[in-house]
Amino acid sequence: MSAATIQERLQGELERHLVPRDFVWGVSTSSYQIEGAAAVDGRGPSVWDGYSRVPGHVANGHTGDVACDHYHRYAEDTALMRGLGVNAYRFSVAWPRVLPAGRGAANEAGLAFYDRVIDGVLAAGIEPWLCLYHWDLPQALQDQGGWLNRDIAGWFADYATLVARRFGDRVKRFATFNEPGVFTLFGYGLAWHPPGLTDPAALHQAIHHVNLAHGAAVDALRAHVASASIGATHSVQPARPVDHTAADEAAATLLDEYWNKAFAEAQILGHYPPALARAVEPYVQAGDMERICRPTDWFGVNHYSPVFARADAAAPLGFAWADAPDNVPKTQVGWQVDPAAFRDTLVDLDRRYRLPIYVLENGAGGHEKLDASGNLIDLERIGYLAVYIGAMYDAIAAGADVRGYFVWSLLDNFEWGAGYDCRFGLVYVDPVTQRRIPKASAHWYANLIRGMVGEAPPQEP
Ligand code: GCO
């Protein structure tokens, strides 16, 4: 299907579904994945700085030391966003850039960097959406137990207060955490992320303390930012059994609790899902669920593809992570393409939590190279975005209160364990020259947004 045909189809979809004109169209990034400047202007080390240096933890020995050098190129990147015509930009603050030791003395140079980013984004007519935590925990706090230390809820609230006081005059949209289900399961259950543990007791402790930190941060943000619009961003994707055996079905149900429900249900419904309620019991103190379940204004969802589990009695968690089956359509990085799952997820989230929904991450990874003319005609990514945006409209037509869509990501960036070879950007980033080259998908997304907001064509991205 050509990009033009996809565009025509989507235009018809959009008119059919009457997507509201004030629908939010954005792009997303995160601090460790794009900023670089890891030891510049007073930034303290995060857990990812050390973790990525351990051989074998990240493909090709890549680290976030330089990343996309966004710390120095933020103005150029804001211009790219302006060229896309987006009206929102989701980014994260690096906790150790503004509090090098995680608490105590603030780093003025770090705060001033985010002033520049926020002021530039606002000047471009783009609304900043600020995430407090996208996985770059200050190493100094990890050294004091990190998410295993119940005091971290207070440390996180103090960090949220610093951010609220500094930026709350210009920023109203705040997320407390990005994908708590991912960084806790991968960091404490599967040893794929820092701190690299496979320890169910530690995982359950971390889950509960992250939830406590969420609630404390919501209170801190509310106390310091008038009209703050607060949410959290969850990775929500169907957890499916590899085989339809009772054992694999049970494994998928368990993965669903850790991946999709451990945080959203505690934070919004005030209780844990069944298996986790039993697992976290030793760490729950009187009043904790009230501390966690604080009123929020929206539900942030990151969605790419279903996830898969299989039974493994020998595994510490009682299940094993599995790859998508062979006989399904996949992206270049092996993630299943299943837009119906996205539609169903949005409809389910709307019914389960009754909050406005913003899709804060959706996109397709690729192992891409520039063509002979120095361009990147990424039709596969355009096709993925088109069918997923179409599925989102189907969910809206079914009554889901979806109010925004952000592509992951603006730039090719540090894809955690996969390093820089797994590219998700609308804009290609040359790893040597740091040159930014808008891909065909950037032009496609700009045209889509233009059609939606009915404004004059943006400058070429
Ligand atoms: C995540 C993170 C992003 C990823 C993106 C692609 O979901 O892992 O929010 O940091 O880069 O999702 O994997």
Side-chain angles (χ1 to χ4, degrees):
M1 187 187 289
S2 74
T5 309
I6 290 168
Q7 173 71 11
E8 284 159 20
R9 172 186 181 275
L10 262 187
Q11 205 64 37
E13 290 283 352
L14 298 171
E15 283 147 19
R16 180 161 68 86
H17 292 314
L18 301 175
V19 172
R21 285 290 173 193
D22 61 353
F23 194 83
V24 177
W25 294 98
V27 285
S28 282
T29 67
S30 89
S31 43
Y32 188 75
Q33 293 180 270
I34 68 166
E35 288 180 3
V40 170
D41 292 344
R43 177 185 179 277
S46 76
V47 292
W48 266 96
D49 293 278
Y51 186 81
S52 59
R53 275 183 167 59
V54 175
H57 280 175
V58 178
N60 308 304
H62 290 163
T63 73
D65 286 355
V66 177
C68 306
D69 193 29
H70 177 74
Y71 184 80
H72 297 107
R73 299 168 186 265
Y74 61 90
E76 178 184 357
D77 295 335
T78 301
L80 284 167
M81 286 190 269
R82 185 184 177 90
L84 287 171
V86 295
N87 51 35
Y89 171 47
R90 176 208 175 218
F91 67 104
S92 71
V93 171
W95 190 346
R97 193 177 293 283
V98 299
L99 283 167
R103 54 195 180 120
N107 176 28
E108 176 53 32
L111 292 165
F113 164 66
Y114 294 108
D115 279 333
R116 296 194 295 273
V117 169
I118 292 164
D119 293 344
V121 161
L122 288 169
I126 298 168
E127 182 183 29
W129 286 54
L130 188 155
C131 178
L132 288 171
Y133 189 83
H134 201 123
W135 306 359
D136 38 6
L137 179 72
Q139 182 61 47
L141 298 185
Q142 178 60 34
D143 295 343
Q144 297 167 64
W147 295 111
L148 300 185
N149 185 335
R150 186 181 167 98
D151 291 344
I152 198 164
W155 303 340
F156 191 66
D158 293 343
Y159 162 53
T161 299
L162 172 69
V163 168
R165 283 177 166 164
R166 180 66 174 237
F167 308 121
D169 60 327
R170 291 156 284 165
V171 177
K172 301 302 176 187
R173 299 281 196 169
F174 293 91
T176 55
F177 284 92
N178 172 74
E179 299 192 355
V182 176
F183 78 81
T184 52
L185 179 63
F186 284 8
Y188 294 87
L190 300 175
W192 293 346
H193 280 194
L197 299 179
T198 303
D199 178 344
L203 172 58
H204 302 142
Q205 217 175 358
I207 288 171
H208 190 59
H209 294 162
V210 169
N211 274 322
L212 286 170
H214 162 83
V218 171
D219 288 347
L221 292 167
R222 293 253 188 258
H224 296 283
V225 182
S227 68
S229 176
I230 304 168
T233 304
H234 304 278
S235 178
V236 183
Q237 314 182 183
R240 292 175 174 166
V242 170
D243 295 314
H244 290 285
T245 62
D248 277 9
E249 299 276 2
T253 300
L254 208 43
L255 175 57
D256 179 56
E257 287 205 17
Y258 285 103
W259 193 262
N260 295 321
K261 295 176 177 156
F263 299 90
E265 303 227 333
Q267 295 173 11
I268 301 168
L269 304 181
H271 59 69
Y272 283 100
L276 275 177
R278 291 188 295 275
V280 302
E281 181 56 39
Y283 315 110
V284 178
Q285 296 181 16
D288 277 359
M289 298 320 291
E290 291 72 27
R291 294 185 185 98
I292 292 169
C293 186
R294 312 299 291 157
T296 49
D297 304 296
W298 46 268
F299 188 103
V301 58
N302 295 350
H303 182 100
Y304 295 88
S305 71
V307 292
F308 295 86
R310 57 179 172 77
D312 181 349
L317 293 176
F319 67 88
W321 183 272
D323 292 332
D326 293 334
N327 59 338
V328 297
K330 296 178 183 175
T331 63
Q332 287 182 14
V333 296
W335 297 8
Q336 182 177 0
V337 179
D338 185 350
F342 184 41
R343 178 202 60 215
D344 295 346
T345 294
L346 294 174
V347 170
D348 178 60
L349 288 173
D350 179 74
R351 289 177 183 152
R352 185 183 298 268
Y353 300 118
R354 310 306 296 163
L355 283 172
I357 297 168
Y358 291 89
V359 179
L360 291 177
E361 287 185 25
N362 178 244
H367 301 299
E368 302 155 320
K369 302 243 184 296
L370 297 178
D371 62 23
S373 59
N375 293 310
L376 210 162
I377 311 301
D378 54 338
L379 288 180
E380 281 185 45
R381 179 170 291 106
I382 290 172
Y384 177 96
L385 295 175
V387 295
Y388 272 74
I389 291 170
M392 177 179 68
Y393 296 142
D394 291 338
I396 293 171
D401 183 8
V402 182
R403 301 189 186 183
Y405 177 88
F406 294 62
V407 170
W408 181 272
S409 179
L410 170 66
L411 303 171
D412 291 338
N413 59 53
F414 178 78
E415 179 51 32
W416 309 112
Y420 296 99
D421 290 350
C422 179
R423 295 173 173 271
F424 274 88
L426 296 171
V427 176
Y428 180 89
V429 177
D430 183 303
V432 175
T433 66
Q434 288 292 347
R435 187 171 159 226
R436 274 81 163 136
I437 303 168
K439 302 174 187 175
S441 56
H443 301 285
W444 178 84
Y445 191 50
N447 288 331
L448 174 78
I449 293 171
R450 178 179 60 198
M452 290 304 88
V453 300
E455 286 174 1
Q459 300 110 340
E460 279 299 290

